[in-house]
Amino acid sequence: MIQHPAFDVEPWRLRESELDLDILAQSESLFALGNGHIGWRGNLDEGEPHGLQGSYLNGVYELRPLPYAEAGYGYPEQDQVVVNVTDGKVIRLLVDDEPFDIRYGDLHSHVRVLDFRTGLLERRAEWSTPTGRRVRVKTTRMVSLVQRAVAAIKYEVEAVDAVRVVAQSELVANEPAAKSVGFDPRASEVLDAPWTSQTHSSDNTTAELVHQTTYSNLMVSAAMDHMVEGPEGTEVSAVDFEDIARITFSAALEPGEKLTIVKFVAYGWSGVRTKEALRDQTAAALVVARESGWDGLVNEQRSYLDNFWKNADVELDGDQEIQQAVRFSLFHVLQAGARSEERAIPAKGLTGSGYDGHAFWDSEAFVLPVLNLTVPETVAHALRWRHSTLALARDRAALLGFRGAAFPWRTIAGAECSSYWPAGTAAFHVSADVADAVVRYLHSTGDQKFEHDFGTEILVETARLWLSLGHFDLDGGFRIDGVTGPDEYSAIADNNIYTNLMVQGNLLVAADAAERNLDVAAELEVSEDERSLWRRAAQKIVIPFDTQLGVHAQSEGFTYHQPWDFEATKQDQYPLLLHFPYFDLYRKQVAKQADLVLAMYLRGDIFSAEQKKANFDYYEGLTVRDSSLSACIQSVMAAEVGYLALAYDYLAEAALMDLEDREHNTRDGLHMASLAGTWIALVAGLAGMRPWNLSLRFTPRLPGGITRLAFNIVFCGRRLHIETTTTSTTYELREGDDLELCHAGETFTLSVGKTEERVPLERLDPGTPPTQPFGREPEHRLSDNERGKETP
């Protein structure tokens, strides 16, 4: 996509200078706007043509039955599928009775720009009707990050020739949805006409539609209001039906005259509130939006984003594509979580219907760590959502015969929605990932109230799961058998090392949290004996190691499996899951994504430097990266062991995952974890940032091609700026109390107004970089000559 001639590389904007219908669906995802509550895909204002229509409210879904050829105990019976809510983006235009449709007439110019600093999507088009009457159309769209229920559009039509224009501003429910082509588990299930009308009305410049789903019984209210400026004689009329409400504006324009419409849209939804309450809610939101006016909304948005970038911006010199990509990534990660407010952050955010709108462990493992150090209040909301689903997680564990809480592999509202249990239910590591996210949030904020009110209960209930899922063997080791780790090409394995190490951390922090919060522990009936058992299990947990190869095994026996025949695998047979049976994948040495390598990043304290390098080298030859979650983690660990050119390659792959549509499914929405992974690869990878003794440590090393990396973070109420170049690294505390940091093993105290400078680290000498599976090498970011200079 970014290599498409229509797209320019700019540091603060995504700009498309011409419209290409062949990539329309992909561009709709790239230009999506949202605030964590509302999601609007970047569809054209006139509604047609489109690749995939999309208007979403976080948490709104419909139920569908999960069919099975053979029933089985504990199989989930219902799926939760994201559905389009009432579309408020549509403004159709007729020029002398000819509909503005870029497929007809003459499109003289068409430009779209998404500005990361203003949060506005601007579109400019100049078009002539089939009869040669020309107009200029400018639209500016926003989803408010401040007024959670509100989105708005400023729509301007300027006449080049004397014309009569009619603009039809609409609310549309039950829009026909595009059907997926072929079988791809990443695509969405399309539900036809999921909404039933409850009421509809219109009056002058306002209109509303209220609908309810049939099975999930969720009710959505959508309302719109308008402000209009036009020449004398401009007319306004309104009409409404069950699935559509329309406000029509008509005007005769002389050359140079404009018709300007500001459209305010408000949404509300609930599964328990009455129709009247929802109507009142959206009406109130419209009142506030109209009082703010377009300029007020724009100013609020800019102020919000100014503060965000003050805390989160990343700058780098030497690669403008990555510079653009990291800001694009941060902007979309912010949009996914900014106002989610006790709802999940789906794998695609609110940019598309991919994965049926489900949230996975991606949020806790990839997205929340970025928000922790940029917008930490959003993480508290996301974790409170997990806490709100604890009852369902306990019920799921009990159904499976266990104590504690088993969080779902994929869900919207907290119930397990995966019908394939080897890669769903068996992926119990999700519960440890949630616990790890709690700990990382507490480490980054020191939020003791959250630990008391929410965190401790999550940690206790997940710890209880492990004691009933695992067992002590005859040698006293604590085993967890028959589970699936992050690598979904190795299912139902014994002692998956990622799972075991995350469980180990979960057990220890749960015991500590219970001791710090004795009243919560008493309420949960946590005894001293139970805490002691958690500590014993953590101490004795099995960590598989192959002494013959000198590497850790991803799971017990994994290194004894037959290697996958990569030489015989064609490039069009990736991803493997779409071309080979799982049975064959499960019994071979092939990894879909980083598994043990991810464990080395999150639990780096367990491995020596020598072990990290040996493990990384071995698993590089087995990992095919059929998951967008993999590249950023491989980048982090490549940087840590010294393969800086390879780290750069994987950084670029993560950063350009959607901008270049590398997995060929950007049309269904953006990959939030890979977007977050861009920041992770830069800050945890090249800057080497790791948690350390309730503070942070850094080991910065830059690859050739990048001469400067600077970033802002917030940590425990402090605002930090770190900048590393080829000659030095400087640390600056811009706000907050003194903080102790660590640079390459040297500790120092940082104070406001004082900059600490440190010399660059010596380049590691890891030797010849490992090779990847045949045909799965990352695209080189540096030339062969430049890569040669990377090796000492």
Side-chain angles (χ1 to χ4, degrees):
M1 292 289 296
I2 204 65
Q3 296 175 350
H4 190 283
F7 285 86
D8 299 327
V9 177
E10 301 181 27
W12 281 104
R13 306 193 303 178
L14 181 66
R15 177 186 174 89
E16 179 193 55
S17 57
E18 63 183 71
L19 192 64
D20 185 343
L21 295 184
D22 290 337
I23 59 169
L24 185 58
Q26 291 90 332
S27 67
E28 290 168 350
S29 297
L30 299 180
F31 288 122
L33 295 178
N35 62 9
H37 175 58
I38 301 170
W40 273 3
R41 279 176 63 81
N43 305 118
L44 302 180
D45 304 272
E46 56 273 16
E48 298 178 14
H50 62 260
L52 178 68
Q53 285 282 39
S55 299
Y56 313 105
L57 290 177
N58 195 349
V60 173
Y61 63 92
E62 180 58 306
L63 295 170
R64 71 176 181 99
L66 286 172
Y68 298 95
E70 297 181 8
Y73 178 80
Y75 284 9
E77 297 179 355
Q78 290 182 317
D79 192 8
Q80 299 166 352
V81 180
V82 67
V83 288
N84 276 343
V85 298
T86 307
D87 190 354
K89 303 186 299 293
V90 178
I91 302 179
R92 305 186 196 277
L93 176 67
L94 292 92
V95 180
D96 285 350
D97 296 328
E98 295 281 359
F100 173 45
D101 188 320
I102 51 90
R103 295 168 295 188
Y104 305 104
D106 292 313
L107 186 64
H108 304 287
S109 64
H110 192 278
V111 177
R112 287 189 289 179
V113 177
L114 175 61
D115 192 310
F116 313 140
R117 289 171 295 190
T118 64
L120 303 179
L121 173 62
E122 183 178 293
R123 176 193 183 199
R124 293 176 179 265
E126 188 162 338
W127 176 80
S128 292
T129 69
T131 57
R133 314 305 289 173
R134 184 180 294 207
V135 294
R136 297 188 183 100
V137 178
K138 177 185 175 183
T139 70
T140 309
R141 182 184 298 177
M142 69 178 301
V143 173
S144 178
L145 293 163
V146 177
Q147 299 187 32
R148 182 174 184 254
V150 171
I153 301 170
K154 186 175 184 180
Y155 193 95
E156 300 172 273
V157 185
E158 179 184 355
V160 177
D161 301 309
V163 292
R164 181 81 185 182
V165 299
V166 176
Q168 299 171 316
S169 178
E170 297 181 347
L171 296 174
V172 187
N174 286 320
E175 290 177 301
K179 301 288 185 180
S180 298
V181 179
F183 170 74
D184 187 338
R186 301 169 299 184
S188 62
E189 178 71 20
V190 176
L191 301 180
D192 292 323
W195 297 102
T196 301
S197 176
Q198 300 299 301
T199 189
H200 51 91
S201 64
S202 62
D203 180 34
N204 194 19
T205 61
T206 65
E208 67 171 345
L209 298 178
V210 180
H211 285 78
Q212 188 170 29
T213 55
T214 302
Y215 302 106
S216 60
N217 293 316
L218 301 180
M219 191 178 296
V220 168
S221 172
M224 62 178 175
D225 195 359
H226 302 79
M227 302 176 71
V228 60
E229 291 183 18
E232 185 177 351
T234 298
E235 298 179 355
V236 181
S237 61
V239 66
D240 58 272
F241 306 94
E242 286 190 347
D243 286 346
I244 187 168
R246 181 185 301 121
I247 309 296
T248 300
F249 306 87
S250 62
L253 300 180
E254 295 298 321
E257 286 189 322
K258 291 182 181 181
L259 174 66
T260 301
I261 301 164
V262 175
K263 179 178 185 177
F264 306 102
V265 182
Y267 291 98
W269 76 269
S270 178
V272 295
R273 299 174 66 209
T274 64
K275 175 176 62 180
E276 291 72 23
L278 285 178
R279 294 180 68 186
D280 288 347
Q281 177 186 344
T282 52
L286 282 180
V287 168
V288 176
R290 189 179 176 101
E291 287 179 351
S292 300
W294 174 258
D295 290 340
L297 288 173
V298 168
N299 292 336
E300 288 176 353
Q301 193 87 332
R302 181 59 189 255
S303 178
Y304 182 101
L305 285 166
D306 283 346
N307 186 65
F308 169 71
W309 291 115
K310 182 175 71 173
N311 294 335
D313 191 24
V314 177
E315 300 175 86
L316 57 91
D317 295 342
D319 193 323
Q320 287 307 296
E321 275 192 335
I322 304 301
Q323 175 65 87
Q324 180 189 41
V326 67
R327 287 185 174 134
F328 171 85
S329 298
L330 282 166
F331 177 73
H332 275 292
V333 167
L334 173 68
Q335 289 196 132
R339 303 301 305 274
S340 60
E341 296 178 13
E342 300 192 27
R343 299 289 172 191
I345 297 178
K348 294 284 191 176
L350 298 177
T351 66
S353 56
Y355 301 108
D356 287 330
H358 291 158
F360 296 76
W361 66 293
D362 308 18
S363 295
E364 282 78 20
F366 295 85
V367 177
L368 296 192
V370 178
L371 295 175
N372 261 334
L373 296 174
T374 54
V375 201
E377 61 271 19
T378 64
V379 179
H381 283 293
L383 294 175
R384 284 205 294 270
W385 168 74
R386 283 292 191 186
H387 183 271
S388 75
T389 68
L390 262 176
L392 291 170
R394 289 190 187 100
D395 290 345
R396 182 65 178 162
L399 180 67
L400 300 172
F402 305 123
R403 293 187 70 209
F407 286 106
W409 170 243
R410 58 189 301 169
T411 190
I412 293 177
E416 179 62 79
C417 294
S418 175
S419 60
Y420 185 64
W421 66 270
T425 295
F428 285 99
H429 69 84
V430 176
S431 293
D433 299 324
V434 173
D436 183 66
V438 169
V439 174
R440 289 177 183 272
Y441 170 73
L442 296 175
H443 172 84
S444 301
T445 64
D447 189 344
Q448 296 177 353
K449 187 176 189 305
F450 178 88
E451 180 185 69
H452 180 274
D453 295 349
F454 303 99
T456 299
E457 187 175 9
I458 293 175
L459 296 174
V460 165
E461 294 297 355
T462 49
R464 283 174 166 163
L465 174 68
W466 309 125
L467 260 293
S468 58
L469 181 64
H471 70 281
F472 290 96
D473 61 23
L474 296 177
D475 296 326
F478 187 73
R479 304 176 56 85
I480 301 178
D481 297 330
V483 299
T484 300
D487 172 25
E488 296 160 39
Y489 288 171
S490 298
I492 321 301
D494 294 343
N495 293 307
N496 168 257
I497 194 168
Y498 174 86
T499 302
N500 281 18
L501 288 177
M502 297 300 284
V503 166
Q504 183 184 56
N506 190 170
L507 292 168
L508 291 173
V509 297
D512 291 343
E515 289 177 0
R516 283 193 301 270
N517 300 276
L518 292 176
D519 58 331
V520 178
E523 185 177 342
L524 297 172
E525 299 181 350
V526 180
S527 67
E528 185 176 345
D529 288 344
E530 186 176 18
R531 295 199 306 268
S532 297
L533 193 58
W534 292 344
R535 295 188 188 281
R536 179 186 164 209
Q539 182 183 11
K540 297 295 184 179
I541 203 147
V542 173
I543 302 176
F545 187 80
D546 187 323
T547 55
Q548 186 174 353
L549 293 175
V551 298
H552 286 87
Q554 179 174 288
S555 58
E556 238 173 19
F558 178 83
T559 52
Y560 290 92
H561 290 177
Q562 180 183 357
W564 184 268
D565 190 349
F566 295 109
E567 295 284 344
T569 306
K570 301 175 183 178
Q571 291 308 294
D572 62 3
Q573 290 179 304
Y574 292 96
L576 299 179
L577 66 96
L578 299 184
H579 300 92
F580 296 93
Y582 274 121
F583 170 74
D584 205 21
L585 295 168
Y586 290 165
R587 62 196 188 95
K588 301 287 181 61
Q589 286 194 67
V590 56
K592 181 182 181 184
Q593 65 204 74
D595 187 305
L596 168 57
V597 174
L598 177 58
M600 292 196 299
Y601 165 49
L602 295 178
R603 292 299 314 276
D605 55 308
I606 298 299
F607 304 89
S608 68
E610 294 76 19
Q611 288 173 338
K612 288 178 182 177
K613 180 183 179 304
N615 289 338
F616 183 85
D617 288 354
Y618 185 82
Y619 286 92
E620 270 293 282
L622 304 176
T623 305
V624 296
R625 301 192 317 287
D626 280 350
S627 168
S628 61
L629 306 182
S630 195
C632 69
I633 299 305
Q634 288 174 268
S635 178
V636 170
M637 291 311 300
E640 181 169 342
V641 301
Y643 300 126
L644 292 178
L646 184 58
Y648 192 9
D649 296 342
Y650 284 137
L651 159 64
E653 183 170 308
L656 301 175
M657 184 67 65
D658 289 310
L659 288 170
E660 292 188 348
D661 195 15
R662 293 198 169 194
E663 290 215 336
H664 310 296
N665 63 345
T666 297
R667 72 179 310 277
D668 297 321
L670 304 180
H671 298 79
M672 286 301 132
S674 190
L675 293 172
T678 308
W679 183 94
I680 292 170
L682 286 165
V683 175
L686 301 187
M689 188 186 74
R690 298 289 188 277
W692 170 75
N693 192 27
L694 297 180
S695 184
L696 298 169
R697 64 185 181 193
F698 298 86
T699 53
R701 293 185 176 91
L702 298 181
I706 296 178
T707 57
R708 171 178 168 268
L709 170 64
F711 56 93
N712 303 330
I713 58 174
V714 290
F715 181 79
C716 290
R718 301 164 176 92
R719 191 159 60 87
L720 299 166
H721 178 77
I722 296 94
E723 181 170 334
T724 188
T725 67
T726 55
T727 59
S728 66
T729 298
T730 58
Y731 299 88
E732 180 185 357
L733 179 63
R734 292 182 169 175
E735 187 178 308
D737 297 334
D738 290 0
L739 178 66
E740 188 175 82
L741 296 180
C742 179
H743 172 92
E746 176 192 0
T747 60
F748 59 94
T749 299
L750 205 56
S751 302
V752 171
K754 180 181 178 183
T755 298
E756 294 286 341
E757 184 173 353
R758 294 295 182 270
V759 298
L761 304 183
E762 292 184 7
R763 190 177 297 274
L764 298 175
D765 183 6
T768 304
T771 58
Q772 292 74 36
F774 177 74
R776 302 303 287 172
E777 305 86 356
E779 181 180 309
H780 291 337
R781 203 68 183 167
L782 300 173
S783 68
D784 290 342
N785 183 52
E786 290 171 317
R787 293 175 73 84
K789 295 177 181 178
E790 285 274 304
T791 304

